[in-house]
Amino acid sequence: MELMSGNEAIAQGAWEAGCTIGVAYPGTPSTETLEAFAKKEGVYAEWCVNEKVAVEVGIGASAAGARVLVTMKHVGVNVAADPLFTAAYTGVGGGMVILAADDPGMYSSQNEQDSHYYAQAAAIPCLDPADSAEALRFTREAYDISERFDVPVIIRSSVRISHTKTPVEAGERAEAPARPYEKNPAKWVMMPAFAKPRRLVQLDRIDKLRQWVETCPYNEVIEGKGTVGVVCAGAAYQHVAEALPDASIFKLGVTWPLPAAALRDFADSVEAVYVVEEGSEYLKDAVRACGVPVSDTPCPLPRAGELSPGLVRAAFGLEQPSHAPAATDLPGRPPALCPGCPHRLVFKELSRMRAIVTGDIGCYTLGALPPLSAMDTTVDMGASVSMAHGFELALAGTEHRPIVAVIGDSTFAHSGLSSLISTVYNRGAGTVCVLDNRTTAMTGRQGNPFNGVTLQNRPSRELNIEAVVAALGVEDVRVVDPNDAAAVRRALKEATGSDDISVIVFRSPCVLLERHVEPPLFVSGSCTACGACVTLGCPALGRDETGRALIDPALCIGCGHCTQYCRFDAIVQE
């Protein structure tokens, strides 16, 4: 028996099932799954440029007969939806399991969404583990389900399941010889002539899945002492079990398709049925569609964010357990770019020039927060470049502030490159800043095509951003050191003054990669309390009661960013 997070357990389950290939694009809360899988014996694992590519690689490996694991976060499922929906027609060769890790509460995401809807829309079976032991078991057995019904299987997790460690009993690996590949265009070539018959295959599969789910071992009824019945799945089950110890619970392990007859039998055994789920009404609507009358809780459940036992008790009008009141006098701790972050001066200069900045997904999104306040939009991966083109189109012929897109190196490979191709093709203007910090920093410093680091440290090809951009036909491409304030200011001024499209590659490694630290800086007696340095938003910088600058030596890494903005030479090296 050992403790594993849900992500580690999913990796273990895939390995035990004989899965040999794992593919993904890193995205919290799913990232650690493939990192854990990559350390197993006898497997191949890689980071793909995006989730769509990962699913397509997975489909290819499955078609060739291998068992495959594909992992992503919930918004990654949006990117992967195109091949995912068609894979529900083609079916599989070797078993194919897809982890969709949802993020209720948006701890590291731009939205809340429920991946159950994708399973329902694509008609792909979906399993919801409620702890790490189930995550391991469900994943291991999902490969047999996938091959039995000739369909990919979704393991739907959430941030609480993915990151909480609970006991598991790890098992041995069962080797699964690759299924021999046989040419079969009627199965794999989804042109209309073949897709129409595959649609009928899918419909027949759905009927068989609906029969199977009624007696499958993944749904469980926990009989209680009272008359209340609750239907729930995943992390919500843990909260319900703690909050309502007397309730009867129908714990769904399979959330698509639902066991309609079993749910109706459950409803007959209690006086009232309630559905408890996080930030969605998927389950409530689906249970009602099974012919089960669902009652509303006395008080509404929260419509957003994660649940807790306290929130569940409150929804049922029950007294809250006694607890100490939350402290109200604690100072705020807003997130900030790290001390020495190479993105800081870029945002400082964009703020100074009052640019309209279309941002992207990554830790540099923190450039939107005070005191930098240098980002206007963030929507999805790659949107910065496309939206900048949209701004240019809408404001054409008017006097307007400079329009600048900001995107990281990994995100540029993910979907920014295709956005730039579209802009170049349509002779768009504007400035694109690629913040090349040599890693995929936000999700834990994974490799990407532009730093050439692979998941299992295999030999690779490091792609050259400026060469790729120049090959697209962009003539104004330059590489700039983002730690040099004067160089950053000059490059931005020249690029935004052009009538053509310009790309600036700001290249400097993330401070967490090399962790290079110089002696900390300190503030001399010549400080005039002008406050220019603290506008950089560095966590190491603050002010004393007189307004003079302060530097925390425990946080300062001696990068010298602040010295470039002090007109009085008051910040010096010890």
Side-chain angles (χ1 to χ4, degrees), residues 197-211:
R198 289 304 297 182
R199 170 61 171 159
L200 300 180
V201 170
Q202 183 191 42
L203 292 174
D204 180 64
R205 178 198 301 137
I206 291 170
D207 293 339
K208 292 176 180 175
L209 284 167
R210 292 193 190 282
Q211 294 174 8

Side-chain angles (χ1 to χ4, degrees), residues 297-317:
T297 54
C299 300
L301 284 161
R303 297 175 63 190
E306 278 195 294
L307 291 179
S308 68
L311 290 172
V312 174
R313 287 185 64 84
F316 283 85

Side-chain angles (χ1 to χ4, degrees), residues 24-27 47-51 343 360-364 381-382 407-418 433-453 465:
Y25 180 82
W47 296 128
C48 298
V49 294
N50 61 40
E51 297 84 358
H343 305 329
D360 226 297
I361 306 299
C363 52
Y364 46 88
M381 301 280 276
I407 187 169
D409 49 324
S410 180
T411 312
F412 187 61
H414 178 284
S415 46
L417 189 56
S418 56
C433 297
V434 181
L435 305 183
D436 180 11
N437 63 358
R438 316 304 296 147
T439 190
T440 311
M442 189 180 193
T443 54
R445 302 182 301 281
Q446 291 80 22
N448 67 67
F450 291 122
N451 70 2
V453 177
I465 294 178

Side-chain angles (χ1 to χ4, degrees), residues 464-481:
N464 183 298
I465 294 178
E466 53 271 31
V468 170
V469 171
L472 300 181
V474 179
E475 296 180 359
D476 185 3
V477 187
R478 64 189 81 187
V479 179
V480 176
D481 179 3

Side-chain angles (χ1 to χ4, degrees), residues 117 120 231 252 255 258-261 263-264 267 272-277 280-297 301:
Y117 286 108
Q120 180 186 56
V231 179
L252 288 164
T255 44
L258 294 188
L263 283 167
R264 288 193 293 267
V273 173
Y274 301 88
V275 172
V276 174
E277 58 189 323
S280 169
E281 292 192 350
Y282 162 78
L283 202 52
K284 181 184 289 187
D285 292 341
V287 171
R288 282 177 172 155
C290 292
V292 176
V294 176
S295 300
D296 293 327
T297 54
L301 284 161

Side-chain angles (χ1 to χ4, degrees), residues 164-472:
T164 299
K165 293 198 173 190
T166 61
V168 301
E169 192 74 56
E172 298 297 321
R173 180 172 171 85
E175 296 298 334
R179 295 182 165 194
Y181 172 71
E182 295 181 2
K183 184 179 178 69
N184 186 355
K187 176 176 170 65
W188 294 107
V189 179
M190 286 301 94
M191 57 190 291
F194 295 142
K196 291 177 182 179
R198 289 304 297 182
R199 170 61 171 159
L200 300 180
V201 170
Q202 183 191 42
L203 292 174
D204 180 64
R205 178 198 301 137
I206 291 170
D207 293 339
K208 292 176 180 175
L209 284 167
R210 292 193 190 282
Q211 294 174 8
W212 164 79
V213 78
E214 294 291 350
T215 57
C216 78
Y218 308 109
N219 301 318
E220 181 182 1
V221 174
I222 298 95
E223 294 185 1
K225 302 174 183 177
T227 59
V228 170
V230 179
V231 179
C232 54
Y237 163 73
Q238 304 292 352
H239 306 317
V240 171
E242 181 176 338
L244 307 173
D246 292 333
S248 293
I249 302 173
F250 197 121
K251 181 168 79 71
L252 288 164
V254 179
T255 44
W256 193 91
L258 294 188
L263 283 167
R264 288 193 293 267
D265 291 342
F266 175 72
D268 290 340
S269 71
V270 295
E271 291 185 6
V273 173
Y274 301 88
V275 172
V276 174
E277 58 189 323
E278 290 177 319
S280 169
E281 292 192 350
Y282 162 78
L283 202 52
K284 181 184 289 187
D285 292 341
V287 171
R288 282 177 172 155
C290 292
V292 176
V294 176
S295 300
D296 293 327
T297 54
C299 300
L301 284 161
R303 297 175 63 190
E306 278 195 294
L307 291 179
S308 68
L311 290 172
V312 174
R313 287 185 64 84
F316 283 85
L318 300 176
E319 182 181 358
Q320 297 296 303
S322 60
H323 59 277
T328 58
D329 57 348
L330 298 177
R333 297 183 62 191
L337 297 171
C338 299
C341 175
H343 305 329
R344 177 167 280 109
L345 302 192
V346 175
F347 285 116
K348 175 61 178 176
E349 293 304 318
L350 288 170
S351 179
R352 283 177 57 140
M353 66 191 300
R354 297 186 65 249
I356 297 172
V357 179
T358 55
D360 226 297
I361 306 299
C363 52
Y364 46 88
T365 305
L366 296 171
L369 301 179
L372 293 168
S373 302
M375 191 177 288
D376 293 71
T377 68
T378 298
V379 175
D380 70 321
M381 301 280 276
S384 57
V385 182
S386 307
M387 290 184 67
H389 181 50
F391 267 92
E392 291 282 0
L393 293 175
L395 299 179
T398 69
E399 290 291 329
H400 60 80
R401 290 146 53 197
I403 299 169
V404 179
V406 174
I407 187 169
D409 49 324
S410 180
T411 312
F412 187 61
H414 178 284
S415 46
L417 189 56
S418 56
S419 296
L420 182 61
I421 291 171
S422 183
T423 301
V424 173
Y425 163 62
N426 288 289
R427 299 197 64 83
T431 300
V432 176
C433 297
V434 181
L435 305 183
D436 180 11
N437 63 358
R438 316 304 296 147
T439 190
T440 311
M442 189 180 193
T443 54
R445 302 182 301 281
Q446 291 80 22
N448 67 67
F450 291 122
N451 70 2
V453 177
T454 60
L455 177 54
Q456 294 177 310
N457 293 312
R458 299 179 308 276
S460 70
R461 294 183 175 90
E462 178 180 335
L463 305 187
N464 183 298
I465 294 178
E466 53 271 31
V468 170
V469 171
L472 300 181

